[in-house]
Each structure stands twice: as C-alpha cells, then as structure tokens.
Amino acid sequence: LRERAIAELGPITLLSDLDEWDIRYLGRNKGELKNLSAIMPKLSKEERPVVGQRINAVKSELERQLSAKRENLKQQEMIAALEQERIDVTLPGRALPVGHMHPISRTIREVTQIFERMGFSVVQGREVETDYYNFQALNVPADHPARDMQDTFWVNPGQILLRTHTSPMQVRTMKETEPPVRVVVPGKVYRNEAVDATHEAMFHQIEGLLVDEYCTMADLKGCLERFAQELFGIDTKIRFRGSYFPFTEPSAEVDVTCSSCHGEGCRVCKYSGWLEVLGAGMVHPKLLREVGYDPTKYRGFAFGMGVERIAMLKYGLGEIRLFSGNDLRFLRQF
Ligand code: FA5
C-alpha cells in the first residue's frame, strides 16, 4: 500500500487530483488505511500492537508527503499565475467615468453665490413642516382661501405637511435671530399639482429674506435686478407685476426677460418675451409682530423663486420634467 500510494503521488500536478489522492488513501471514511485498520480485531493480542504501529507509521509518512506535495503545487501554481498575469505598469490607465453636478444643484449654487456676494448667508430649512409655519404664522389661517393657492400633501392632515414653499423659513429665521437679517434658503418643496411642461409636484425654491431698520421696495427691486443681471447677463430686465401673498404687503410677481428668444418670442416664454420666476414683497407687519420684532422700527423684504424655472430660462428649455426624468442623454449636456 505504501509503495503504491507514494508512486501515485509523484506524478500529480493538480491540487484537485491531490485532494482525490488524500481521500483515497487517508480518507477517514473509506480511505485504504482506514480499511486496513478493520482487520485489527481479527489479529491476536501479540500481533495487534505491531500491526497498529506499522499502520500509524505509514499514515504519518503519507501525511508528511502529502503536505510537502501540497506546498510544492501551491507554489508552482503561484509562479504560473505570476508569469501569466504580468502587468505592464507603463501602460496608460483606463479613464473612469466621472459624474458631475445636476443642473438644478448647479443653478442653486450659482444663485446662492450671487446673494452671498451681496451679504446674505445660506441656511437650510426642513421639508416636513407644521401647519403653523407653512400657513398660520404666514398669515394664512385655517379657513383662509389662500390655502387653495397651493395644494398640499399632508402627512398628518391639519398638522404636519410637506412644505409647499420655502417661506416657513422666514418665520423660523426671524424667531431665531435678532435683526438685521439677511438669509437665502434653498430647498425642495411639494405641491399636489397637475404636472405639465412648467409645473412639477416636487420642485425647488430659494427663499430670500432681509430685515433691517431701513428697507424699502426700492431695495427689493435693486437687489433682484442685480441678481438677474448677474445670473442671466447685464442686458436682462426685470418687471414687477402687482400680486397677492398673505405674508407680504405690497406683493409682486417678478418676470425677467427671456434670454432664449432674442426678441422674437419662443417656446420657453410662450412667445411673450417674459418669464415669471419669483414672488416677492415687503414682509407683512403681522409677521414681524408674530416673531416679536417691532414693526415700527423694522421692515423687511422677502422673495421666493422657482429654481427649475430659472434653470429653464438659463438653459433655454421648454420642459420642466427633464430635470427629474433621470435621462442621462439630457443630464450629460450640462
Ligand atoms: C410662493 O411659493 C411664495 N412663497 C413666494 C414668496 C416668497 C412670495 C416670499 C413673497 C415673499 P408661488 O406659489 O408663486 O409663491 O411660487 C413661487 C415660484 O415657484 C413661482 O414663481 C414659480 O417660479 C415656482 N413654482 C410655483 N409652482 C411651481 C410648480 N408646480 N413647478 C415648478 N415651479 C413652480
């Protein structure tokens, strides 16, 4: 048995063959050595220790040879692998695909940077708000018709909601800080809205708020004109149209000249030459009182702009749904 086992071990070159050999001779179940031990009970008392010792000696020897062979084969496999997988370190590397900023994130960054240069700081609000901050504190009581201006996604009807605009941050900011206040607040907002080419149910706004002892509608106009010219170019004009928001008085909707149509009218602005991008006004004295400011001493202006609408203007797009459509062919153009 010993001679046969050793003779068979010699020519083995594969680790898998070696495992088979191991099972055949040394296997604990049906290995040949094990089978040999089965004759022990048939031997006489004197023969048993002699035969037993001999079997053990062969077993140890085969085990030793097996592990030596295994080491040897492993090394050979490694050498072969190293030979085969040789790497040419002088080859140029493969370029990895690099991601980039989403056009909406980029627009938010450009807009907030313009306001930062005018002395505003950027703060973040929360997307899940209370009825108090989204409506009541903004002078929209429970039965007020202005609630219908923005259809609401409720988390807990009448109490918790997905904010319909970034204006709740006006109240939160004023409650937390003493005047003077100068902040812009970018973020997502949600409206239960019929979606079309210019309306999304989830979109982004940037809120602006300034409160100081001296502050007029002219400051608001100057600030927004400067913003529009920095973002869209020095020839850009803005236009104020009288409007209504419960939290500003007076209120206005602000349009900017469409930079896509070069005077002829285009799909982006529906051939009018103007595109509405934000709502604005002077902070209502009721809000100032609500947060504990003295309305005879302080005044403020606020505005809220739609980021998608601004990006549409900037990039000459007629379809708002492209931004959230996840079509890489669209996104890779930015
Ligand atoms: C508001 O949300 C007010 N909170 C804005 C405001 C802030 C007024 C501070 C006064 C003072 P409005 O609902 O008009 O207003 O929305 C503001 C802007 O968001 C719009 O001018 C438009 O650019 C954008 N917008 C509104 N609805 C949608 C929509 N469904 N999809 C994409 N953009 C929208």
Side-chain angles (χ1 to χ4, degrees):
L1 178 85
R2 177 178 167 274
E3 304 303 315
R4 183 153 47 87
I6 290 173
E8 275 180 29
L9 186 64
I12 289 180
T13 53
L14 289 176
L15 278 171
S16 55
D17 291 345
L18 198 62
D19 289 337
E20 267 177 37
W21 182 94
D22 183 11
I23 294 167
R24 183 146 22 97
Y25 290 103
L26 297 167
R28 264 195 264 162
N29 249 337
K30 292 206 169 114
E32 295 206 17
L33 270 176
K34 189 80 194 169
N35 292 345
L36 207 57
S37 320
I39 60 164
M40 292 288 270
K42 294 177 198 152
L43 299 176
S44 69
K45 236 186 192 157
E46 294 74 37
E47 283 171 321
R48 256 182 238 164
V50 183
V51 175
Q53 267 178 11
R54 186 83 185 110
I55 291 179
N56 279 343
V58 171
K59 188 173 171 219
S60 317
E61 192 192 347
L62 291 186
E63 278 172 352
R64 227 181 314 113
Q65 295 227 8
L66 173 70
S67 71
K69 181 84 183 178
R70 179 162 282 154
E71 273 311 301
N72 190 313
L73 283 187
K74 270 192 188 156
Q75 272 209 334
Q76 278 180 15
E77 273 190 11
M78 195 158 79
I79 289 166
L82 285 177
E83 275 293 313
Q84 259 188 0
E85 294 166 17
R86 206 174 270 177
I87 294 172
D88 181 354
V89 290
T90 64
L91 280 176
R94 265 180 224 139
L96 290 172
V98 185
H100 63 88
M101 257 184 146
H102 190 280
I104 293 301
S105 313
R106 210 164 106 175
T107 307
I108 289 177
R109 190 152 89 171
E110 279 178 42
V111 172
T112 51
Q113 280 174 351
I114 292 170
F115 283 103
E116 277 178 313
R117 286 199 288 276
M118 291 195 250
F120 287 75
S121 24
V122 181
V123 294
Q124 300 288 335
R126 52 190 81 189
E127 288 173 32
V128 178
E129 263 295 0
T130 59
D131 183 82
Y132 172 76
Y133 283 107
N134 196 82
F135 289 126
Q136 287 175 49
L138 291 168
N139 194 27
V140 189
D143 52 0
H144 198 283
R147 285 200 175 215
D148 300 338
M149 288 165 71
Q150 306 167 0
D151 275 322
T152 309
F153 285 119
W154 290 98
V155 175
N156 189 355
Q159 290 171 3
I160 316 270
L161 47 79
L162 297 182
R163 68 175 172 191
T164 58
H165 51 178
T166 42
S167 298
M169 277 304 285
Q170 289 185 30
V171 183
R172 285 191 182 275
T173 309
M174 288 192 285
K175 279 196 170 181
E176 274 164 27
T177 42
E178 288 297 313
V181 173
R182 255 185 278 175
V183 291
V184 282
V185 189
K188 287 193 176 74
V189 302
Y190 303 84
R191 290 185 195 178
N192 193 353
E193 187 123 46
V195 170
D196 63 26
T198 51
H199 293 83
E200 272 277 24
M202 187 276 287
F203 58 100
H204 297 75
Q205 286 190 339
I206 299 176
E207 192 80 7
L209 173 69
L210 182 146
V211 185
D212 210 336
E213 283 183 25
Y214 183 82
C215 168
T216 71
M217 195 89 175
D219 296 313
L220 171 62
K221 253 188 138 164
C223 179
L224 290 177
E225 189 171 66
R226 171 76 182 279
F227 151 74
Q229 290 179 346
E230 285 217 18
L231 190 71
F232 299 115
I234 195 72
D235 297 331
T236 311
K237 295 191 173 36
I238 64 169
R239 156 173 106 173
F240 272 52
R241 277 180 294 111
S243 183
Y244 172 75
F245 296 103
F247 33 93
T248 47
E249 183 59 37
S251 305
E253 262 163 344
V254 181
D255 304 335
V256 303
T257 44
C258 176
S259 50
S260 302
C261 58
H262 309 291
E264 286 141 32
C266 68
R267 295 221 337 247
V268 178
C269 59
K270 299 207 183 96
Y271 305 97
S272 68
W274 296 92
L275 214 94
E276 178 207 316
V277 290
L278 59 91
M282 302 304 291
V283 177
H284 201 294
K286 269 193 177 173
L287 264 75
L288 298 175
R289 267 195 296 274
E290 177 78 22
V291 300
Y293 288 2
D294 178 357
T296 61
K297 190 171 174 203
Y298 294 109
R299 288 193 228 170
F301 67 67
F303 54 85
M305 61 180 81
V307 179
E308 277 78 0
R309 299 275 174 85
I310 286 171
M312 285 167 80
L313 257 187
K314 194 160 166 55
Y315 300 119
L317 299 168
E319 174 56 77
I320 195 171
R321 286 166 288 195
L322 287 168
F323 292 119
S324 55
N326 281 336
D327 187 336
L328 287 178
R329 290 168 304 176
F330 167 71
L331 293 173
R332 285 203 181 110
Q333 297 175 63
F334 295 92

